[in-house]
Amino acid sequence: MASLNHIQSRLLLAFLVPGAFGCSANSVSRDARLDDTGPVDVGPPLCAVDASTDAPAPSCWALGRLTTRTGCSDTHCERDGGVLMLKADYASCGITAPDPAVDAQANGELSEAAGALSLDDDQCEFHAFVLPDCAAAARTLYFEADLSTMMGGAVPAGAMPYVEAFSSPTHLAPRVDASTETAPGHYRIGPVTFDVPGQWTVTLHFFGTCQDNTPMSPHAHVTFKLDVP
């Protein structure tokens, strides 16, 4: 896993160079911190869950407020009319690869969920669906996540996902390692508290016990933005 200095350097670069890592972070004064006990003034969503007037109100303020680094659709793995699909080298980390004959996975249960964000990991080895779920505290979220290979295949058990999130290079959410793997490839991660308004950059790491700098490492990260009103 990356050292603290390495992580802080990446965050500083993302803040100083708009578009670095496909996102920009907005610095928010600590004086602008919201009362975490009050309701969230959601405002208009960035990616509407359902634009119809008959649609019920979203059950969680964060629904529709997750975007990829390029907008509501993720295109960073598209190449010349096709999609880049790389295969993770599980053996490099001592992980037994799933048997496709018995461990087939059809994109998981979140693929049809309203408000789920579809995105590929940074190295185009895995595909994920991410759905925010509000916790008891007003600005605290769980993330439900389905992970599959880029071809829609199963992934090994034991991904142990964790969260890194920041709203500016100097305002980081505490790293959250807590997660529950309800089935191989399906996880509930959190809770994570987003204590200031503005645009947050959120990265979900999977197979974080594997080195991040070896070719085709299973260590994967999906990065998205969350607009906190």
Side-chain angles (χ1 to χ4, degrees):
M1 289 182 284
S3 66
L4 180 60
N5 289 338
H6 177 65
I7 293 172
Q8 291 177 332
S9 297
R10 286 167 59 90
L11 300 186
L12 183 59
L13 178 59
F15 177 70
L16 295 176
V17 182
F21 309 113
C23 60
S24 61
N26 295 328
S27 178
V28 180
S29 167
R30 289 181 181 271
D31 293 335
R33 192 183 300 268
L34 298 179
D35 177 8
D36 196 41
T37 61
V40 177
D41 181 11
V42 296
L46 297 178
C47 297
V49 175
D50 188 333
S52 69
T53 56
D54 296 331
S59 58
C60 177
W61 63 265
L63 287 171
R65 308 193 75 87
L66 271 62
T67 60
T68 72
R69 295 171 298 180
T70 54
C72 295
S73 299
D74 184 13
T75 59
H76 79 273
C77 290
E78 295 183 4
R79 300 288 192 276
D80 299 324
V83 179
L84 182 62
M85 298 182 180
L86 302 180
K87 187 176 180 180
D89 181 11
Y90 297 114
S92 68
C93 194
I95 297 174
T96 301
D99 183 349
V102 296
D103 296 319
Q105 178 172 320
N107 289 326
E109 61 189 63
L110 298 181
S111 60
E112 301 298 327
L117 186 66
S118 174
L119 66 167
D120 301 323
D121 88 284
D122 293 347
Q123 297 190 93
C124 303
E125 296 175 347
F126 299 97
H127 185 78
F129 289 95
V130 179
L131 183 72
D133 183 25
C134 283
R139 289 163 189 86
T140 301
L141 296 175
Y142 288 91
F143 291 104
E144 300 280 344
D146 279 339
L147 188 69
S148 64
T149 69
M150 287 291 288
M151 288 72 72
V155 299
M160 295 184 292
Y162 63 89
V163 178
E164 290 181 325
F166 67 92
S167 62
S168 79
T170 58
H171 192 91
L172 284 67
R175 174 172 146 168
V176 177
D177 295 301
S179 66
T180 301
E181 185 172 17
T182 58
H186 183 79
Y187 319 92
R188 181 172 174 85
I189 312 162
V192 187
T193 299
F194 300 93
D195 59 346
V196 296
Q199 187 180 91
W200 286 73
T201 298
V202 183
T203 299
L204 305 183
H205 292 255
F206 300 89
F207 300 108
T209 57
C210 301
Q211 293 188 19
D212 195 18
N213 57 356
T214 57
M216 311 313 298
S217 170
H219 186 154
H221 13 75
V222 295
T223 302
F224 54 91
K225 293 182 282 189
L226 169 65
D227 182 60
V228 178

